[in-house]
Amino acid sequence: MPTNDSIFQLQKIVDISESTEKTTRTGNTIAFVAICISLFFLAIIASVYRKKTILLFQSLFSARIFSQLLREGKILNERIYLYSILFMLPLQTLFIGTITTLLFPNLLNTLSYANIMAAALVAAIIDYAGKNSIVTLILKLYEYDEDRPIYILNKLFFHLCNCGFHLIILPIIIFCEYTNVVFLYIPIFLTTSIFLIIRIFSLKLRKIGALQFFLYFCTLEILPYLLFLKIVSLWAK
């Protein structure tokens, strides 16, 4: 005959199982919606702005085409730039939330999956808009305002490349539950980061020295991620 302790333990296991199943369903729903939103804006970009998109990616490997884009028009004021951000944002949010729950599973004991994704959305917005705003302010202070499009376009390319890989690996991680595939993304992230560093440092950012660039890179490109990981690790305890 089962004792009260055994019944309590059995009920606890059932509750944990139901909670895990609910979290999985919520996560899959959020992931499905986020990926669909990104695919929607990707379809708009590919169909309506096909020629402009090809030109943008050609400019990744051609300084001449990149300079031509800057001369011909203010691409940052065109709708393709807005649609690119709307394509990236759901995927970056989903990636940040997914990686956070993989690294700190205990976080789900104190926060719901939806709340984690809401925090991930805020982090994604700060990561892109916050950094761009700070760099814009710095460039204005030092009267390098014409260099702003160079920085923002290169950051846009960096995020677009990474989100392209997010679109491949996130469904595998979330829906197939093959989490080890995330390690394949590490060399991809490092490669795109190195490419970004080379691009920003070499493409006409005037009067920038190695020391200033090093300070920028450590302060804006590394420190925020370390602070984010520290805050999440403290919260997960």
Side-chain angles (χ1 to χ4, degrees):
M1 184 175 179
T3 63
N4 290 336
D5 288 342
S6 62
I7 293 174
F8 176 76
Q9 291 295 332
L10 181 61
Q11 183 61 45
K12 187 176 180 181
I13 293 172
V14 171
D15 291 342
I16 293 174
S17 177
E18 290 178 351
S19 177
T20 303
E21 186 179 347
K22 182 180 178 181
T23 300
T24 301
R25 286 199 305 268
T26 303
N28 289 346
T29 301
I30 292 175
F32 178 77
V33 172
I35 291 172
C36 284
I37 292 173
S38 289
L39 288 175
F40 172 74
F41 286 107
L42 180 62
I44 293 177
I45 294 169
S47 58
V48 180
Y49 301 98
R50 182 174 175 272
K51 291 183 179 179
K52 182 72 74 173
T53 303
I54 293 173
L55 195 62
L56 281 170
F57 279 97
Q58 285 178 339
S59 70
L60 279 172
F61 310 100
S62 172
R64 181 183 61 82
I65 296 177
F66 187 86
S67 299
Q68 178 186 339
L69 279 174
L70 294 175
R71 286 195 308 269
E72 288 182 351
K74 296 182 179 180
I75 193 171
L76 299 181
N77 295 331
E78 296 183 17
R79 287 187 179 180
I80 185 174
Y81 177 64
L82 174 63
Y83 292 151
S84 297
I85 294 175
L86 294 175
F87 160 71
M88 296 185 308
L89 197 57
L91 289 174
Q92 285 185 294
T93 300
L94 191 59
F95 182 76
I96 293 171
T98 301
I99 294 300
T100 300
T101 53
L102 287 177
L103 292 176
F104 307 100
N106 291 337
L107 201 61
L108 291 168
N109 296 332
T110 56
L111 292 173
S112 67
Y113 193 83
N115 287 335
I116 292 174
M117 283 299 168
L121 174 60
V122 173
I125 293 172
I126 292 174
D127 180 54
Y128 189 76
K131 288 179 181 178
N132 284 351
S133 299
I134 292 172
V135 170
T136 297
L137 177 61
I138 293 173
L139 291 175
K140 280 183 178 295
L141 289 174
Y142 288 93
E143 299 180 350
Y144 299 160
D145 198 39
E146 64 265 32
D147 290 331
R148 173 177 170 270
I150 297 176
Y151 172 81
I152 293 181
L153 273 180
N154 278 288
K155 286 291 292 185
L156 179 66
F157 293 147
F158 170 75
H159 286 293
L160 284 175
C161 290
N162 282 305
C163 284
F165 291 111
H166 293 168
L167 199 55
I168 297 171
I169 67 172
L170 283 173
I172 299 173
I173 295 172
I174 296 169
F175 300 121
C176 301
E177 298 183 357
Y178 187 69
T179 56
N180 289 335
V181 76
V182 73
F183 294 108
L184 298 177
Y185 177 69
I186 295 175
I188 295 171
F189 177 78
L190 292 175
T191 302
T192 54
S193 297
I194 292 171
F195 185 73
L196 173 68
I197 293 169
I198 294 172
R199 292 277 298 184
I200 292 179
F201 191 70
S202 62
L203 278 175
K204 296 183 180 179
L205 283 180
R206 300 175 296 116
K207 299 179 182 179
I208 184 171
L211 177 60
Q212 289 86 346
F213 184 81
F214 177 76
L215 291 174
Y216 146 78
F217 186 75
C218 291
T219 304
L220 285 182
E221 301 297 340
I222 296 179
L223 185 60
Y225 298 116
L226 295 178
L227 288 175
F228 177 78
L229 289 174
K230 182 62 176 179
I231 292 169
V232 174
S233 64
L234 291 174
W235 192 285
K237 287 183 179 180

